[in-house]
Amino acid sequence: MTFIDTCLMLTFFGLVGMILRRNLLNISVSLLQFVIGLNALMGYLSTSNDHFFSNYWLIAIAFIFIIYLSSIALLLIKRRSTLQVNELTELRG
Amino acid sequence: MEITNAISGFIFIVLLITSLLTITARKPSTCALFLFIESVFLSAILGFLKGITSIAFSTSIILSFFAMVVCGICLYFEASFAITPNKIPKLSVLTGLALSALFFSTLFSGIFQEIKTHYFMEIISEKSILSYAIFGFSSLCILVSALIIFDTKNSKEGGPL
């Protein structure tokens, strides 16, 4: 099992986690796992440090998505006044 | 050289275990903690393989901090709102097991090598295809999240939606 296979495994398990989990916080964790695997794959395959902008851009997108999911979770908790975040699953449509 | 292979094999096994625990743990903070351990080990092996001056190592370190931030966010939500962990549906578990079995069956066959070399690497190398689409959606995410955060902080009732 090479390093590329390991990165693909991390990416794939991130995608599976986004399908499998029903909680927005767990989905954000799986999204971050997907981005970590993809970033490691891109960084390992790049032969030089010249094309570094795409890696930082990927990190910025991940940061934006995590803030988005967290703010949606905060909004739904405040609006429903519930003790469970499990009802957030209906947001996924 | 044997020590190098032994360390790499150990880190691969740790990455496999932590990635499995990340998608199977019940509490979000536990998932984020396993993700943090995974990202630290991944940063270590990237620094080991590519050097500590490479861009892969630096971005992995940044993503490790992100994992720590997400762990803090999950701990805050769990402590503030008393979140009870939910049960994973059986259909989702079966879907995940089937996809994992498919992945590992294709990993050790020749089909995976062809897909990896001919298709996947070309998609990764062509990074500008999805750039504009993701940029547009991320701009929308920035606007919506900023609106929600400011409105939730300033009102007692809730958000604008």
Side-chain angles (χ1 to χ4, degrees):
Chain A
M1 196 169 184
T2 61
F3 183 73
I4 294 178
D5 295 334
T6 307
C7 294
L8 285 175
M9 180 192 69
L10 295 181
T11 309
F12 182 76
F13 279 176
L15 282 175
V16 168
M18 281 193 276
I19 299 169
L20 191 139
R21 308 315 292 264
R22 301 190 66 188
N23 194 325
L24 273 184
L25 301 175
N26 285 327
I27 289 171
S28 66
V29 173
S30 294
L31 172 73
L32 191 58
Q33 186 182 9
F34 172 74
V35 170
I36 285 173
L38 196 62
N39 174 61
L41 190 63
M42 287 167 62
Y44 184 74
L45 288 177
S46 65
T47 54
S48 65
N49 287 342
D50 296 335
H51 305 286
F52 63 90
F53 183 72
S54 57
N55 289 51
Y56 285 115
W57 191 71
L58 180 71
I59 290 173
I61 296 296
F63 185 68
I64 290 164
F65 283 175
I66 287 167
I67 289 178
Y68 178 68
L69 290 174
S70 303
S71 62
I72 291 290
L74 180 65
L75 169 72
L76 291 177
I77 287 170
K78 292 285 186 183
R79 285 198 68 211
R80 292 173 185 269
S81 299
T82 179
L83 293 178
Q84 294 189 352
V85 196
N86 299 338
E87 298 177 10
L88 307 180
T89 55
E90 64 189 48
L91 181 76
R92 297 180 66 194
Chain B
M1 198 66 185
E2 292 177 353
I3 296 174
T4 307
N5 291 332
I7 293 171
S8 301
F10 171 72
I11 291 180
F12 286 157
I13 290 171
V14 170
L15 286 175
L16 175 65
I17 293 171
T18 50
S19 60
L20 282 173
L21 287 174
T22 302
I23 63 169
T24 52
R26 293 187 69 188
K27 294 173 71 175
S29 61
T30 314
C31 294
L33 183 64
F34 285 128
L35 184 68
F36 175 65
I37 296 170
E38 176 187 319
S39 60
V40 166
F41 273 97
L42 195 65
S43 303
I45 196 168
L46 271 175
F48 190 68
L49 291 175
K50 299 282 286 183
I52 58 173
T53 57
S54 64
I55 199 70
F57 179 71
S58 59
T59 49
S60 295
I61 290 291
I62 295 172
L63 284 172
S64 303
F65 283 112
F66 276 17
M68 202 159 53
V69 168
V70 169
C71 187
I73 290 172
C74 293
L75 280 174
Y76 171 74
F77 274 101
E78 287 178 4
S80 299
F81 303 109
I83 296 171
T84 56
N86 56 350
K87 293 180 181 178
I88 301 173
K90 291 180 181 177
L91 182 62
S92 299
V93 172
L94 288 176
T95 307
L97 285 176
L99 287 173
S100 302
L102 182 67
F103 177 74
F104 281 110
S105 64
T106 54
L107 182 66
F108 299 107
S109 64
I111 304 169
F112 184 73
Q113 296 296 327
E114 290 187 5
I115 293 173
K116 195 169 68 176
T117 52
H118 289 91
Y119 297 103
F120 193 77
M121 299 305 171
E122 291 180 0
I123 294 171
I124 290 293
S125 60
E126 192 68 27
K127 299 183 186 70
S128 63
I129 294 175
L130 298 173
S131 59
Y132 290 106
I134 297 177
F135 176 73
F137 187 68
S138 60
S139 305
L140 180 69
C141 288
I142 291 171
L143 289 174
V144 172
S145 54
L147 182 67
I148 289 169
I149 288 171
F150 283 114
D151 197 83
T152 308
K153 281 175 68 67
N154 293 328
S155 67
K156 294 180 182 178
E157 297 296 327
L161 303 177

